[in-house]
Amino acid sequence: MSDSSRDTAEGAGWGAAELGEYKRLMPHKVEKISWLNPKTLWAARNGVLASWFGDPTGHTRSRWVAQRAAAGAPADKVIRRDDPDHFSFLVIGDPGEGDEPQYAVVPGLLTVGQDTRFAVVASDVIYPVGSADDYGTKFFRPYQDYRAPMYAIPGNHDWYEDLGAFMRVFCGDAPPLEPGPAPRPIGKAWLRSLLWHRPRNGDGQRLEQDRELRSSPAQQAVQPGPYWAIDAGPVRIVGIDTGLLGTIDAEQGAWLREVSRDPRPKILITGQPLYVDGEHHPCAIEGGGTVDEIVRDPAHRYVAAIGGDIHNYQRYPVQVDGRTIQYVVSGGGGAFMHATHTIPRVDIANVTEKEFRCYPLRGDSLSFYSKLYGRRLRLRRFFTLTEAEAAAVVAERLEIQPGRAPAPDARITRRTRLVAGLLGTGRRPDRPKRFRLPVRKIYTQLFSPSSATYSPPFFKCFLRLDVTPETVRLRCYAATGNRAQEVDPPVEDEVTIALT
Protein backbone atom coordinates (compact mmCIF):
# COMPACT_ATOMS: atom_id res chain seq x y z
CA MET A 1 0.00 0.00 0.00
CA SER A 2 1.34 3.42 -0.93
CA ASP A 3 2.10 6.17 1.56
CA SER A 4 -0.76 8.42 2.58
CA SER A 5 -0.61 12.09 3.55
CA ARG A 6 -0.30 10.95 7.17
CA ASP A 7 2.93 9.13 6.30
CA THR A 8 4.91 11.52 4.08
CA ALA A 9 4.65 14.79 2.18
CA GLU A 10 5.15 12.79 -1.03
CA GLY A 11 2.18 10.63 -0.02
CA ALA A 12 0.11 13.82 0.11
CA GLY A 13 1.17 14.60 -3.46
CA TRP A 14 3.70 17.35 -2.71
CA GLY A 15 7.08 17.58 -4.37
CA ALA A 16 8.29 16.76 -7.86
CA ALA A 17 5.96 14.02 -9.05
CA GLU A 18 4.87 12.44 -12.31
CA LEU A 19 1.50 13.74 -13.47
CA GLY A 20 -1.22 11.11 -13.67
CA GLU A 21 -2.81 9.90 -16.90
CA TYR A 22 -6.30 11.20 -16.11
CA LYS A 23 -6.09 13.87 -18.84
CA ARG A 24 -6.42 11.22 -21.52
CA LEU A 25 -9.97 10.64 -20.26
CA MET A 26 -10.96 14.29 -20.61
CA PRO A 27 -12.52 16.06 -23.60
CA HIS A 28 -10.18 18.26 -25.60
CA LYS A 29 -11.93 21.42 -24.49
CA VAL A 30 -12.87 21.88 -20.83
CA GLU A 31 -14.96 24.80 -19.64
CA LYS A 32 -13.70 25.67 -16.17
CA ILE A 33 -16.22 26.99 -13.69
CA SER A 34 -15.34 30.17 -11.85
CA TRP A 35 -17.47 31.07 -8.86
CA LEU A 36 -16.22 34.64 -9.24
CA ASN A 37 -17.93 34.90 -12.62
CA PRO A 38 -21.12 37.02 -12.29
CA LYS A 39 -22.77 34.95 -15.03
CA THR A 40 -22.25 31.76 -13.02
CA LEU A 41 -23.48 33.34 -9.81
CA TRP A 42 -26.59 34.71 -11.53
CA ALA A 43 -27.44 31.30 -13.02
CA ALA A 44 -27.09 29.76 -9.53
CA ARG A 45 -29.36 32.32 -7.86
CA ASN A 46 -32.24 30.01 -6.91
CA GLY A 47 -30.79 29.10 -3.53
CA VAL A 48 -30.66 32.76 -2.54
CA LEU A 49 -34.17 33.38 -3.89
CA ALA A 50 -35.50 30.41 -1.89
CA SER A 51 -33.97 31.77 1.31
CA TRP A 52 -35.44 35.24 0.68
CA PHE A 53 -38.88 34.45 -0.72
CA GLY A 54 -39.66 30.95 0.48
CA ASP A 55 -38.39 27.54 -0.59
CA PRO A 56 -40.57 25.80 -3.23
CA THR A 57 -38.45 22.63 -3.20
CA GLY A 58 -40.83 20.55 -1.08
CA HIS A 59 -43.80 21.24 -3.34
CA THR A 60 -41.80 20.56 -6.51
CA ARG A 61 -40.34 17.37 -5.05
CA SER A 62 -43.80 16.13 -4.10
CA ARG A 63 -44.95 16.62 -7.71
CA TRP A 64 -41.94 14.68 -9.01
CA VAL A 65 -42.62 11.84 -6.56
CA ALA A 66 -46.29 11.71 -7.53
CA GLN A 67 -45.35 11.59 -11.21
CA ARG A 68 -42.95 8.69 -10.61
CA ALA A 69 -45.59 6.83 -8.58
CA ALA A 70 -48.08 7.24 -11.45
CA ALA A 71 -45.43 5.79 -13.78
CA GLY A 72 -45.18 2.65 -11.63
CA ALA A 73 -42.34 3.40 -9.20
CA PRO A 74 -42.65 1.33 -5.99
CA ALA A 75 -44.73 3.09 -3.36
CA ASP A 76 -42.15 2.46 -0.63
CA LYS A 77 -39.35 3.79 -2.89
CA VAL A 78 -37.15 0.79 -2.06
CA ILE A 79 -34.73 -0.62 -4.65
CA ARG A 80 -34.41 -4.34 -3.95
CA ARG A 81 -31.15 -5.75 -5.25
CA ASP A 82 -29.74 -9.28 -5.30
CA ASP A 83 -26.37 -8.49 -3.71
CA PRO A 84 -24.81 -11.25 -1.59
CA ASP A 85 -24.11 -10.97 2.12
CA HIS A 86 -20.53 -9.95 1.32
CA PHE A 87 -20.30 -7.10 -1.20
CA SER A 88 -18.77 -3.65 -1.73
CA PHE A 89 -19.95 -0.29 -3.07
CA LEU A 90 -18.54 3.19 -3.68
CA VAL A 91 -19.62 6.66 -2.56
CA ILE A 92 -18.56 9.70 -4.60
CA GLY A 93 -19.52 13.13 -3.30
CA ASP A 94 -19.93 16.39 -5.27
CA PRO A 95 -18.10 15.34 -8.44
CA GLY A 96 -19.49 17.29 -11.33
CA GLU A 97 -17.37 20.26 -12.37
CA GLY A 98 -16.03 18.36 -15.38
CA ASP A 99 -12.43 19.50 -15.04
CA GLU A 100 -9.06 18.12 -13.95
CA PRO A 101 -9.88 17.36 -10.29
CA GLN A 102 -13.00 15.36 -11.20
CA TYR A 103 -11.20 13.33 -13.85
CA ALA A 104 -8.18 12.87 -11.56
CA VAL A 105 -10.40 10.79 -9.26
CA VAL A 106 -11.42 8.38 -12.00
CA PRO A 107 -8.31 6.15 -12.49
CA GLY A 108 -8.02 5.34 -8.80
CA LEU A 109 -11.77 4.89 -8.49
CA LEU A 110 -11.75 2.36 -11.34
CA THR A 111 -8.86 0.48 -9.72
CA VAL A 112 -10.35 0.40 -6.23
CA GLY A 113 -13.91 -0.10 -7.45
CA GLN A 114 -13.47 -2.77 -10.11
CA ASP A 115 -15.19 -5.45 -7.98
CA THR A 116 -17.86 -3.20 -6.43
CA ARG A 117 -21.54 -3.85 -7.08
CA PHE A 118 -22.68 -0.24 -7.48
CA ALA A 119 -21.83 3.37 -6.67
CA VAL A 120 -23.76 6.22 -5.07
CA VAL A 121 -23.21 9.88 -5.99
CA ALA A 122 -23.83 11.87 -2.82
CA SER A 123 -24.94 15.43 -3.64
CA ASP A 124 -24.32 17.86 -6.51
CA VAL A 125 -23.96 15.52 -9.44
CA ILE A 126 -23.63 18.44 -11.86
CA TYR A 127 -22.28 21.99 -11.42
CA PRO A 128 -23.11 24.81 -11.69
CA VAL A 129 -26.90 24.40 -12.12
CA GLY A 130 -27.60 20.73 -12.89
CA SER A 131 -28.12 21.33 -16.61
CA ALA A 132 -28.90 18.35 -18.84
CA ASP A 133 -26.35 19.68 -21.36
CA ASP A 134 -23.58 19.13 -18.80
CA TYR A 135 -24.21 15.43 -18.11
CA GLY A 136 -22.11 14.30 -21.06
CA THR A 137 -18.76 15.65 -19.85
CA LYS A 138 -19.53 15.67 -16.11
CA PHE A 139 -21.19 12.28 -15.59
CA PHE A 140 -21.41 9.91 -18.56
CA ARG A 141 -17.89 10.49 -19.90
CA PRO A 142 -15.88 10.34 -16.64
CA TYR A 143 -17.66 7.18 -15.41
CA GLN A 144 -18.08 5.41 -18.75
CA ASP A 145 -15.66 2.64 -17.71
CA TYR A 146 -17.26 1.98 -14.32
CA ARG A 147 -19.10 -1.22 -15.16
CA ALA A 148 -21.80 -1.17 -12.50
CA PRO A 149 -24.95 0.88 -11.79
CA MET A 150 -24.75 4.37 -10.31
CA TYR A 151 -27.47 5.79 -8.06
CA ALA A 152 -27.58 9.40 -6.87
CA ILE A 153 -29.16 11.84 -4.48
CA PRO A 154 -29.38 15.46 -5.60
CA GLY A 155 -27.59 18.39 -4.04
CA ASN A 156 -28.58 22.02 -4.06
CA HIS A 157 -26.89 22.59 -7.44
CA ASP A 158 -28.97 19.84 -9.04
CA TRP A 159 -32.04 21.73 -7.82
CA TYR A 160 -31.08 25.02 -9.52
CA GLU A 161 -33.10 23.92 -12.54
CA ASP A 162 -35.87 22.27 -10.50
CA LEU A 163 -34.26 18.81 -10.77
CA GLY A 164 -35.45 18.22 -14.33
CA ALA A 165 -32.16 16.85 -15.72
CA PHE A 166 -31.50 14.72 -12.63
CA MET A 167 -34.92 13.07 -12.99
CA ARG A 168 -34.33 12.38 -16.67
CA VAL A 169 -30.98 10.72 -16.05
CA PHE A 170 -31.60 8.74 -12.86
CA CYS A 171 -35.37 8.20 -12.77
CA GLY A 172 -36.40 6.48 -15.94
CA ASP A 173 -36.27 9.46 -18.28
CA ALA A 174 -39.02 11.19 -16.33
CA PRO A 175 -40.97 13.64 -18.52
CA PRO A 176 -41.00 17.34 -17.63
CA LEU A 177 -43.34 18.49 -14.90
CA GLU A 178 -46.48 20.25 -15.96
CA PRO A 179 -46.43 23.91 -14.90
CA GLY A 180 -47.94 24.49 -11.48
CA PRO A 181 -50.58 27.12 -10.71
CA ALA A 182 -49.37 30.67 -11.22
CA PRO A 183 -48.75 32.53 -7.95
CA ARG A 184 -50.87 35.53 -7.09
CA PRO A 185 -49.32 38.84 -8.24
CA ILE A 186 -47.19 41.02 -5.97
CA GLY A 187 -46.55 38.45 -3.19
CA LYS A 188 -43.25 36.73 -2.35
CA ALA A 189 -44.07 33.65 -4.43
CA TRP A 190 -44.83 35.83 -7.46
CA LEU A 191 -41.55 37.74 -7.10
CA ARG A 192 -39.63 34.48 -6.66
CA SER A 193 -41.26 33.04 -9.77
CA LEU A 194 -40.41 36.18 -11.72
CA LEU A 195 -36.70 35.89 -10.88
CA TRP A 196 -36.42 32.08 -10.85
CA HIS A 197 -33.75 30.46 -13.02
CA ARG A 198 -35.12 27.81 -15.41
CA PRO A 199 -33.56 25.58 -18.08
CA ARG A 200 -32.91 27.25 -21.38
CA ASN A 201 -34.93 26.21 -24.42
CA GLY A 202 -33.55 23.09 -26.06
CA ASP A 203 -31.62 21.97 -22.99
CA GLY A 204 -30.64 18.30 -23.13
CA GLN A 205 -30.79 17.70 -26.88
CA ARG A 206 -27.53 15.72 -26.70
CA LEU A 207 -28.63 13.61 -23.73
CA GLU A 208 -29.52 10.50 -25.72
CA GLN A 209 -26.14 10.61 -27.44
CA ASP A 210 -24.39 11.12 -24.12
CA ARG A 211 -26.16 8.09 -22.61
CA GLU A 212 -24.35 5.84 -25.09
CA LEU A 213 -21.19 6.26 -23.00
CA ARG A 214 -22.84 4.27 -20.18
CA SER A 215 -25.18 2.07 -22.17
CA SER A 216 -24.18 -1.50 -21.27
CA PRO A 217 -26.83 -3.54 -19.41
CA ALA A 218 -24.53 -3.88 -16.37
CA GLN A 219 -24.48 -0.10 -15.93
CA GLN A 220 -28.21 0.49 -15.93
CA ALA A 221 -30.24 1.52 -12.90
CA VAL A 222 -33.55 3.31 -12.42
CA GLN A 223 -34.39 4.82 -9.06
CA PRO A 224 -37.89 5.67 -7.84
CA GLY A 225 -37.24 9.36 -7.25
CA PRO A 226 -34.84 11.87 -5.71
CA TYR A 227 -34.95 9.96 -2.40
CA TRP A 228 -34.91 6.20 -2.05
CA ALA A 229 -33.70 3.18 -0.09
CA ILE A 230 -31.56 0.30 -1.38
CA ASP A 231 -31.80 -3.14 0.18
CA ALA A 232 -28.37 -4.61 -0.54
CA GLY A 233 -27.19 -7.79 1.14
CA PRO A 234 -27.55 -7.43 4.92
CA VAL A 235 -27.93 -3.62 4.97
CA ARG A 236 -30.39 -0.94 3.92
CA ILE A 237 -28.90 2.23 2.40
CA VAL A 238 -31.21 5.23 2.74
CA GLY A 239 -30.72 8.27 0.50
CA ILE A 240 -32.50 11.54 1.31
CA ASP A 241 -32.88 14.71 -0.74
CA THR A 242 -32.14 17.88 1.25
CA GLY A 243 -33.08 20.23 -1.58
CA LEU A 244 -31.92 23.80 -1.88
CA LEU A 245 -31.64 24.78 1.78
CA GLY A 246 -30.64 21.60 3.60
CA THR A 247 -34.06 20.55 4.94
CA ILE A 248 -36.63 17.93 4.00
CA ASP A 249 -40.37 18.28 3.53
CA ALA A 250 -43.03 16.60 5.68
CA GLU A 251 -43.86 13.96 3.04
CA GLN A 252 -40.24 12.85 2.76
CA GLY A 253 -39.90 12.99 6.56
CA ALA A 254 -42.86 10.62 6.99
CA TRP A 255 -41.32 8.26 4.42
CA LEU A 256 -37.95 8.40 6.21
CA ARG A 257 -39.55 7.44 9.53
CA GLU A 258 -41.37 4.55 7.89
CA VAL A 259 -38.45 3.20 5.88
CA SER A 260 -36.20 3.45 8.96
CA ARG A 261 -38.36 0.94 10.86
CA ASP A 262 -36.99 -1.94 8.80
CA PRO A 263 -34.98 -4.15 11.19
CA ARG A 264 -31.76 -4.40 9.19
CA PRO A 265 -28.73 -2.11 9.87
CA LYS A 266 -28.74 1.13 7.89
CA ILE A 267 -26.44 3.68 6.32
CA LEU A 268 -27.80 7.16 5.58
CA ILE A 269 -26.63 9.06 2.49
CA THR A 270 -27.61 12.72 2.63
CA GLY A 271 -27.13 15.80 0.50
CA GLN A 272 -25.79 17.77 3.47
CA PRO A 273 -23.80 16.32 6.39
CA LEU A 274 -25.14 16.17 9.94
CA TYR A 275 -21.74 16.86 11.54
CA VAL A 276 -19.33 19.12 9.70
CA ASP A 277 -16.56 21.61 10.53
CA GLY A 278 -16.92 20.89 14.23
CA GLU A 279 -20.64 21.74 14.20
CA HIS A 280 -23.88 19.77 14.44
CA HIS A 281 -26.53 20.30 11.75
CA PRO A 282 -29.36 17.87 12.55
CA CYS A 283 -31.41 18.69 9.39
CA ALA A 284 -34.89 19.95 10.15
CA ILE A 285 -38.00 18.14 8.92
CA GLU A 286 -40.95 20.29 7.93
CA GLY A 287 -43.63 19.96 10.59
CA GLY A 288 -41.24 18.99 13.38
CA GLY A 289 -38.32 16.76 14.26
CA THR A 290 -34.96 16.28 12.62
CA VAL A 291 -33.22 13.69 10.49
CA ASP A 292 -30.63 13.14 13.21
CA GLU A 293 -33.33 12.21 15.73
CA ILE A 294 -34.32 9.41 13.36
CA VAL A 295 -30.68 8.37 12.90
CA ARG A 296 -30.06 8.29 16.67
CA ASP A 297 -33.13 6.21 17.52
CA PRO A 298 -31.67 2.81 18.49
CA ALA A 299 -34.69 1.01 17.02
CA HIS A 300 -33.69 2.24 13.55
CA ARG A 301 -30.17 0.74 13.70
CA TYR A 302 -28.28 3.42 11.78
CA VAL A 303 -24.53 2.82 11.94
CA ALA A 304 -23.33 5.67 9.68
CA ALA A 305 -24.55 8.91 8.12
CA ILE A 306 -22.58 10.08 5.06
CA GLY A 307 -23.16 13.57 3.63
CA GLY A 308 -21.86 15.50 0.66
CA ASP A 309 -21.99 19.26 -0.08
CA ILE A 310 -18.70 20.12 1.70
CA HIS A 311 -15.79 19.31 -0.60
CA ASN A 312 -13.45 17.40 1.67
CA TYR A 313 -13.50 14.39 4.01
CA GLN A 314 -14.31 14.45 7.72
CA ARG A 315 -15.33 11.75 10.21
CA TYR A 316 -16.92 12.09 13.65
CA PRO A 317 -17.45 8.85 15.64
CA VAL A 318 -20.30 9.92 17.94
CA GLN A 319 -21.33 7.81 20.93
CA VAL A 320 -25.12 7.45 21.11
CA ASP A 321 -26.68 5.33 23.87
CA GLY A 322 -23.66 3.08 24.19
CA ARG A 323 -23.09 2.59 20.47
CA THR A 324 -21.07 4.50 17.87
CA ILE A 325 -22.53 6.19 14.81
CA GLN A 326 -19.97 7.28 12.23
CA TYR A 327 -20.89 10.72 10.88
CA VAL A 328 -18.93 11.27 7.67
CA VAL A 329 -18.44 14.16 5.26
CA SER A 330 -17.53 12.89 1.80
CA GLY A 331 -17.71 15.61 -0.82
CA GLY A 332 -14.27 15.39 -2.38
CA GLY A 333 -15.27 13.74 -5.65
CA GLY A 334 -14.25 16.55 -7.99
CA ALA A 335 -15.48 20.03 -7.10
CA PHE A 336 -13.11 22.71 -5.78
CA MET A 337 -11.63 21.93 -2.37
CA HIS A 338 -13.26 23.33 0.73
CA ALA A 339 -10.58 24.04 3.30
CA THR A 340 -10.00 21.88 6.37
CA HIS A 341 -7.54 24.30 8.02
CA THR A 342 -10.51 26.52 8.94
CA ILE A 343 -11.97 23.76 11.16
CA PRO A 344 -11.39 24.74 14.80
CA ARG A 345 -10.10 22.29 17.35
CA VAL A 346 -12.82 19.63 17.50
CA ASP A 347 -14.71 19.11 20.73
CA ILE A 348 -18.32 18.19 20.01
CA ALA A 349 -20.60 15.33 21.11
CA ASN A 350 -17.64 13.84 23.02
CA VAL A 351 -15.62 13.70 19.79
CA THR A 352 -12.22 15.32 20.28
CA GLU A 353 -9.18 15.81 18.08
CA LYS A 354 -8.03 12.33 19.08
CA GLU A 355 -11.03 10.72 17.38
CA PHE A 356 -11.64 13.24 14.57
CA ARG A 357 -10.25 12.61 11.09
CA CYS A 358 -10.09 14.82 8.02
CA TYR A 359 -8.57 14.89 4.55
CA PRO A 360 -6.71 16.88 3.44
CA LEU A 361 -4.80 17.36 6.66
CA ARG A 362 -5.19 20.90 7.96
CA GLY A 363 -1.56 21.75 7.24
CA ASP A 364 -1.85 20.58 3.63
CA SER A 365 -5.05 22.60 3.26
CA LEU A 366 -3.38 25.77 4.59
CA SER A 367 -0.35 25.31 2.34
CA PHE A 368 -2.65 24.76 -0.67
CA TYR A 369 -4.58 27.96 0.00
CA SER A 370 -1.47 30.00 0.76
CA LYS A 371 -0.13 29.08 -2.67
CA LEU A 372 -3.51 29.85 -4.23
CA TYR A 373 -3.62 33.37 -2.82
CA GLY A 374 0.07 33.94 -3.39
CA ARG A 375 -0.53 33.41 -7.09
CA ARG A 376 -3.80 35.27 -7.36
CA LEU A 377 -2.65 38.30 -5.39
CA ARG A 378 0.86 38.19 -6.85
CA LEU A 379 2.28 38.07 -3.34
CA ARG A 380 3.91 34.67 -3.49
CA ARG A 381 6.83 35.52 -1.22
CA PHE A 382 4.49 36.75 1.48
CA PHE A 383 1.59 34.29 1.29
CA THR A 384 3.21 31.01 0.29
CA LEU A 385 3.76 28.55 3.13
CA THR A 386 5.51 25.26 2.65
CA GLU A 387 3.60 22.20 3.79
CA ALA A 388 5.99 21.92 6.75
CA GLU A 389 5.48 25.57 7.80
CA ALA A 390 1.73 25.25 7.42
CA ALA A 391 1.57 22.04 9.48
CA ALA A 392 3.65 23.63 12.24
CA VAL A 393 1.56 26.80 12.54
CA VAL A 394 -1.71 24.81 12.48
CA ALA A 395 -0.40 22.59 15.27
CA GLU A 396 0.52 25.69 17.30
CA ARG A 397 -2.83 27.43 16.82
CA LEU A 398 -4.92 24.37 17.62
CA GLU A 399 -2.44 22.94 20.18
CA ILE A 400 -2.50 19.53 18.52
CA GLN A 401 0.02 17.09 17.14
CA PRO A 402 0.55 17.45 13.37
CA GLY A 403 -1.13 14.85 11.19
CA ARG A 404 2.27 13.58 10.07
CA ALA A 405 5.70 13.89 11.62
CA PRO A 406 6.90 17.52 11.34
CA ALA A 407 9.92 18.40 9.24
CA PRO A 408 12.92 19.33 11.37
CA ASP A 409 13.42 22.65 9.56
CA ALA A 410 9.83 23.88 9.95
CA ARG A 411 9.86 27.40 11.42
CA ILE A 412 7.02 29.44 12.86
CA THR A 413 7.51 33.15 12.31
CA ARG A 414 5.42 36.30 12.56
CA ARG A 415 4.74 35.98 8.83
CA THR A 416 3.50 32.38 9.03
CA ARG A 417 1.25 33.27 11.95
CA LEU A 418 -0.14 36.29 10.09
CA VAL A 419 -0.81 34.31 6.89
CA ALA A 420 -2.46 31.53 8.87
CA GLY A 421 -4.74 34.06 10.54
CA LEU A 422 -5.60 35.86 7.30
CA LEU A 423 -6.56 32.56 5.69
CA GLY A 424 -8.98 31.69 8.50
CA THR A 425 -6.99 28.96 10.23
CA GLY A 426 -8.91 27.46 13.13
CA ARG A 427 -8.05 27.81 16.82
CA ARG A 428 -9.00 26.26 20.08
CA PRO A 429 -12.55 27.42 20.90
CA ASP A 430 -11.34 29.02 24.14
CA ARG A 431 -8.53 31.04 22.53
CA PRO A 432 -8.72 34.65 21.25
CA LYS A 433 -9.46 35.07 17.55
CA ARG A 434 -6.61 37.29 16.46
CA PHE A 435 -6.24 37.69 12.67
CA ARG A 436 -9.51 35.84 12.02
CA LEU A 437 -12.15 37.59 9.97
CA PRO A 438 -15.80 37.60 11.10
CA VAL A 439 -16.81 35.19 8.34
CA ARG A 440 -14.47 32.23 8.80
CA LYS A 441 -14.80 30.78 5.30
CA ILE A 442 -15.01 33.96 3.24
CA TYR A 443 -11.67 33.25 1.56
CA THR A 444 -11.75 29.49 1.35
CA GLN A 445 -15.27 29.08 -0.03
CA LEU A 446 -16.48 32.30 -1.66
CA PHE A 447 -13.19 33.24 -3.30
CA SER A 448 -11.84 29.85 -4.31
CA PRO A 449 -12.89 29.47 -7.95
CA SER A 450 -11.73 25.88 -8.39
CA SER A 451 -8.71 23.79 -7.63
CA ALA A 452 -8.66 22.92 -11.35
CA THR A 453 -6.75 26.10 -12.13
CA TYR A 454 -3.74 24.75 -10.28
CA SER A 455 -1.44 21.80 -10.59
CA PRO A 456 -1.66 18.73 -8.32
CA PRO A 457 -2.11 17.87 -5.54
CA PHE A 458 -5.87 18.29 -5.85
CA PHE A 459 -6.75 16.53 -2.55
CA LYS A 460 -9.80 14.69 -3.92
CA CYS A 461 -11.26 11.52 -2.40
CA PHE A 462 -13.93 8.82 -2.58
CA LEU A 463 -15.18 6.04 -0.30
CA ARG A 464 -15.28 2.29 -0.58
CA LEU A 465 -17.54 0.37 1.81
CA ASP A 466 -17.09 -3.40 2.24
CA VAL A 467 -20.17 -5.02 3.76
CA THR A 468 -20.47 -8.34 5.60
CA PRO A 469 -23.25 -9.57 7.90
CA GLU A 470 -21.13 -8.51 10.88
CA THR A 471 -19.31 -5.33 9.78
CA VAL A 472 -18.92 -2.50 7.31
CA ARG A 473 -15.37 -1.43 6.56
CA LEU A 474 -15.28 2.19 5.37
CA ARG A 475 -12.14 3.47 3.65
CA CYS A 476 -11.41 6.93 2.29
CA TYR A 477 -9.10 6.85 -0.75
CA ALA A 478 -7.15 9.87 -1.95
CA ALA A 479 -6.73 11.19 -5.50
CA THR A 480 -4.11 13.90 -5.96
CA GLY A 481 -3.68 13.99 -9.72
CA ASN A 482 -0.18 12.53 -9.42
CA ARG A 483 0.74 9.21 -10.98
CA ALA A 484 1.82 7.54 -7.73
CA GLN A 485 -1.56 8.01 -6.06
CA GLU A 486 -3.34 7.15 -9.31
CA VAL A 487 -1.68 3.73 -9.66
CA ASP A 488 -2.02 2.83 -5.98
CA PRO A 489 -4.58 5.10 -4.27
CA PRO A 490 -3.58 5.64 -0.64
CA VAL A 491 -6.03 5.04 2.18
CA GLU A 492 -6.40 8.28 4.15
CA ASP A 493 -8.80 6.90 6.76
CA GLU A 494 -10.27 3.54 7.65
CA VAL A 495 -12.81 2.38 10.21
CA THR A 496 -14.62 -0.90 10.78
CA ILE A 497 -18.23 -0.49 11.88
CA ALA A 498 -19.98 -3.29 13.78
CA LEU A 499 -23.45 -4.25 12.53
CA THR A 500 -24.39 -6.70 15.27
Side-chain angles (χ1 to χ4, degrees):
M1 183 180 296
S2 62
D3 285 348
S4 73
S5 69
R6 294 180 176 272
D7 299 316
T8 63
E10 291 75 17
W14 297 115
E18 181 185 357
L19 190 68
E21 297 184 3
Y22 61 88
K23 286 197 174 186
R24 63 181 173 80
L25 305 173
M26 299 177 63
H28 294 298
K29 184 178 180 180
V30 175
E31 181 181 357
K32 296 181 179 180
I33 296 173
S34 171
W35 294 103
L36 296 179
N37 186 331
K39 183 178 178 180
T40 302
L41 294 175
W42 177 242
R45 64 188 178 272
N46 286 358
V48 175
L49 294 176
S51 66
W52 287 354
F53 303 119
D55 185 2
T57 300
H59 178 66
T60 306
R61 182 190 295 118
S62 181
R63 293 166 61 209
W64 279 122
V65 169
Q67 178 180 287
R68 290 290 295 133
D76 60 4
K77 302 171 185 61
V78 177
I79 302 164
R80 293 173 172 88
R81 295 178 47 85
D82 60 353
D83 301 301
D85 284 347
H86 295 72
F87 77 98
S88 303
F89 69 99
L90 300 175
V91 176
I92 314 160
D94 298 82
E97 288 197 353
D99 49 20
E100 285 94 333
Q102 179 179 7
Y103 280 86
V105 174
V106 174
L109 183 145
L110 294 176
T111 297
V112 170
Q114 60 184 335
D115 62 339
T116 54
R117 302 277 295 189
F118 59 89
V120 177
V121 181
S123 186
D124 291 336
V125 183
I126 300 295
Y127 292 92
V129 293
S131 170
D133 283 341
D134 288 333
Y135 268 85
T137 56
K138 298 178 183 180
F139 177 74
F140 290 108
R141 185 182 183 115
Y143 308 122
Q144 62 182 314
D145 293 326
Y146 179 67
R147 311 306 293 178
M150 298 184 75
Y151 305 95
I153 56 168
N156 58 309
H157 288 266
D158 300 304
W159 269 101
Y160 287 162
E161 291 191 348
D162 289 336
L163 212 62
F166 180 96
M167 296 296 294
R168 290 179 65 181
V169 171
F170 293 103
C171 301
D173 207 14
L177 281 178
E178 293 296 326
R184 290 184 298 177
I186 307 305
K188 283 187 175 182
W190 174 81
L191 187 56
R192 181 188 65 215
S193 178
L194 188 67
L195 298 173
W196 201 250
H197 171 79
R198 294 177 176 84
R200 59 185 176 270
N201 292 332
D203 184 49
Q205 291 184 353
R206 302 191 306 270
L207 197 53
E208 288 306 312
Q209 179 182 345
D210 294 335
R211 288 181 195 271
E212 292 299 316
L213 295 170
R214 280 186 52 83
S215 59
S216 77
Q219 295 174 313
Q220 303 312 301
V222 176
Q223 59 192 56
Y227 58 91
W228 42 257
I230 298 174
D231 284 349
V235 300
R236 171 167 281 189
I237 303 161
V238 180
I240 62 172
D241 169 18
T242 54
L244 282 170
L245 301 181
T247 60
I248 67 174
D249 60 279
E251 180 182 342
Q252 185 180 181
W255 169 85
L256 177 61
R257 291 185 176 95
E258 181 63 31
V259 82
S260 297
R261 294 190 180 105
D262 184 271
R264 71 189 74 197
K266 297 173 193 69
I267 299 167
L268 181 74
I269 310 288
T270 171
Q272 295 197 5
L274 303 180
Y275 280 87
V276 59
D277 294 348
E279 300 172 350
H280 184 210
H281 299 272
C283 187
I285 299 174
E286 180 187 18
T290 68
V291 169
D292 202 27
E293 289 173 359
I294 297 172
V295 169
R296 287 168 176 261
D297 188 332
H300 296 156
R301 298 190 66 192
Y302 280 92
V303 298
I306 303 170
D309 189 58
I310 302 301
H311 308 162
N312 53 45
Y313 172 83
Q314 302 173 43
R315 181 169 63 85
Y316 301 80
V318 177
Q319 298 293 317
V320 180
D321 298 327
R323 60 202 172 92
T324 301
I325 301 176
Q326 300 289 342
Y327 290 87
V328 176
V329 179
S330 183
F336 73 88
M337 187 189 85
H338 281 149
T340 58
H341 68 266
T342 59
I343 303 172
R345 182 183 173 108
V346 171
D347 187 4
I348 186 171
N350 293 320
V351 178
T352 67
E353 281 292 326
K354 182 179 179 181
E355 296 84 27
F356 171 70
R357 295 290 183 272
C358 68
Y359 176 78
L361 297 176
R362 288 184 179 98
D364 290 330
S365 171
L366 177 58
S367 181
F368 174 94
Y369 272 97
S370 75
K371 293 176 172 64
L372 184 156
Y373 286 103
R375 281 188 289 260
R376 291 206 164 264
L377 299 176
R378 298 184 180 181
L379 294 171
R380 296 191 186 199
R381 292 186 61 184
F382 172 72
F383 263 103
T384 301
L385 303 181
T386 68
E387 59 271 20
E389 290 173 330
V393 74
V394 165
E396 178 188 76
R397 288 174 68 92
L398 272 69
E399 299 181 22
I400 61 174
Q401 291 294 318
R404 62 175 174 266
D409 58 345
R411 296 177 60 243
I412 302 175
T413 65
R414 291 180 63 185
R415 181 186 69 88
T416 59
R417 291 188 179 104
L418 179 59
V419 171
L422 289 172
L423 294 181
T425 306
R427 276 189 175 273
R428 286 179 58 106
D430 57 344
R431 292 293 185 263
K433 299 181 179 180
R434 292 173 296 177
F435 306 133
R436 286 183 67 191
L437 297 182
V439 181
R440 177 162 59 88
K441 299 178 184 178
I442 189 169
Y443 285 120
T444 56
Q445 290 194 16
L446 180 60
F447 290 136
S448 48
S450 167
S451 58
T453 53
Y454 310 105
S455 58
F458 296 132
F459 297 114
K460 301 293 102 185
C461 60
F462 62 92
L463 304 183
R464 174 181 168 123
L465 290 89
D466 303 305
V467 179
T468 75
E470 295 80 28
T471 63
V472 173
R473 182 170 65 161
L474 182 153
R475 284 176 286 180
C476 172
Y477 285 89
T480 67
N482 287 325
R483 177 71 172 155
Q485 288 82 37
E486 193 175 86
V487 171
D488 187 9
V491 176
E492 289 292 338
D493 186 35
E494 179 175 348
V495 62
T496 298
I497 305 167
L499 297 184
T500 56

